[in-house]
Amino acid sequence: MTCGALPQPTPHLGHLYTAVVADAIQRYEKLIDPNCNIIFSTGTDEHGTKIQQAAAKADIPLPDYCNNISNEYKKMFHNFNVDYTDFVRTTERRHKFAVKHFWKKLLKKGYIYKSKYSGWYSVNDESFVPEAHTKDEMINGEKVRVSLESGHKVEWTEEFNYMFRLSAMKTHLQEWLRTDGVITPSKYQKQLQELLENEGYLPDISVSRPSSRVHWAIQVPNDDEQSVYVWLDALVNYLTSIGYPDEDVMKSKGRPWPADVHVIGKDILKFHGIYWPAFLMAANWPPPRKLVVHGHWTVDGKLPWRLTLTTARRSW
């Protein structure tokens, strides 16, 4: 039982909603079986360019900035009685150990290789965006390139990175996405199926960044010049919560994997519905049994920077 690693900056109603939905699911399961052993994990994603920039703008040291944000999330969950069993911060030592172990496993199996990479990069989304998924748009009188998916500005970037062989996982992903009800509501499952059906959609993806550009990150094992891509880092938090890679700890938790359900917002569907199962399959781990995806909370049909309980409405 997990909800998506929570993004920065400070928490708003959309973050709370994700956790409340996950909490409602676990409370229902406990009503049916009071002896049910549930791991309900949430947490904060604390690495990457966005965090570097936000801390610099606030003129706060990075560790202090992350501590402050993490405490705000915990306070919010406490105030709304969200009864999680584990809160994973991606800056924790146990998580860094899990990420490096997972990386080495993918590398050993031949799914990670180093190559020069170029493409449109969105700082806000922390990801490269295929050119077919971008467009030109006028913003404040300036012509800029933006992502079709998020509307965020993208910039052309060329650099040497480690790549993940996502292209090798296309057939496996298609088979997983044919599982009835694996993603709910079903329209989100259909979206991913359509993406995979588009010829050429599934290129290999960059899973590292130059440490000179993204220094607030987990270092790639045996390569200090590269840092682990924030979304590979963040997604491994689900394994961190079950004690990975310590076999004894995982056994003590019963059958902790695959996760029965991930609860996420639709903005991170691609990362959880394409990247995450592909990473897991490459490491010979089963993907989660189900993704529960919710829409955005809006004010007057728009996505505000922050939301209040009294002015927001849910948009599927």
Side-chain angles (χ1 to χ4, degrees), residues 116-246:
K116 185 175 182 179
Y117 188 81
S118 60
W120 295 101
Y121 185 75
S122 168
V123 172
N124 292 82
D125 300 324
E126 299 273 19
S127 67
F128 282 96
V129 182
E131 186 163 8
H133 294 184
T134 67
K135 67 175 182 177
D136 290 326
E137 192 171 279
M138 295 299 295
I139 299 179
N140 298 325
E142 180 186 2
K143 184 179 179 181
V144 298
R145 198 81 167 177
V146 300
S147 166
L148 288 174
E149 294 180 11
S150 67
H152 293 144
K153 182 180 177 180
V154 296
E155 298 177 349
W156 188 258
T157 302
E158 295 184 1
E159 57 194 26
F160 276 97
N161 291 333
Y162 285 96
M163 307 292 294
F164 172 74
R165 299 186 191 279
L166 184 63
S167 56
M169 308 309 296
K170 183 173 182 177
T171 301
H172 299 294
L173 288 167
Q174 288 176 318
E175 183 177 349
W176 176 66
L177 285 168
R178 282 194 289 268
T179 306
D180 186 42
V182 72
I183 298 178
T184 188
S186 60
K187 69 174 184 177
Y188 294 117
Q189 184 166 338
K190 185 176 179 181
Q191 283 181 15
L192 294 181
Q193 289 173 325
E194 290 174 350
L195 282 173
L196 291 178
E197 287 171 3
N198 294 333
E199 184 176 356
Y201 164 72
L202 209 64
D204 292 350
I205 60 170
S206 168
V207 287
S208 75
R209 301 290 183 264
S211 298
S212 58
R213 181 164 66 85
V214 186
H215 62 84
W216 185 247
I218 297 173
Q219 298 302 302
V220 167
N222 303 316
D223 189 344
D224 292 340
E225 294 183 355
Q226 293 282 315
S227 57
V228 178
Y229 172 43
V230 66
W231 268 107
L232 174 55
D233 161 10
L235 289 164
V236 175
N237 92 88
Y238 301 126
L239 300 185
T240 302
S241 69
I242 64 170
Y244 177 88
D246 191 315

Side-chain angles (χ1 to χ4, degrees), residues 259-272:
D260 289 301
V261 59
H262 286 339
V263 181
I264 62 170
K266 69 176 183 179
D267 54 316
I268 53 176
L269 174 62
K270 178 177 68 175
F271 302 105
H272 284 77

Side-chain angles (χ1 to χ4, degrees), residues 11 21 37-38 49 76 95 109 133 138 146 158 250 256 268 271 278 281 316:
V21 171
N37 182 25
I38 293 178
T49 308
M76 177 182 71
H95 177 71
K109 289 182 174 294
H133 294 184
M138 295 299 295
V146 300
E158 295 184 1
M250 288 190 287
I268 53 176
F271 302 105
M281 291 170 183
W316 289 100

Side-chain angles (χ1 to χ4, degrees), residues 54-82:
K57 185 176 180 180
D59 195 23
I60 299 174
L62 275 160
D64 294 341
Y65 179 83
C66 291
N67 288 337
N68 293 342
I69 295 298
S70 178
N71 288 336
E72 286 196 44
Y73 276 96
K74 290 179 178 179
K75 181 179 179 180
M76 177 182 71
F77 292 153
H78 174 75
N79 289 341
F80 287 89
N81 198 28
V82 174

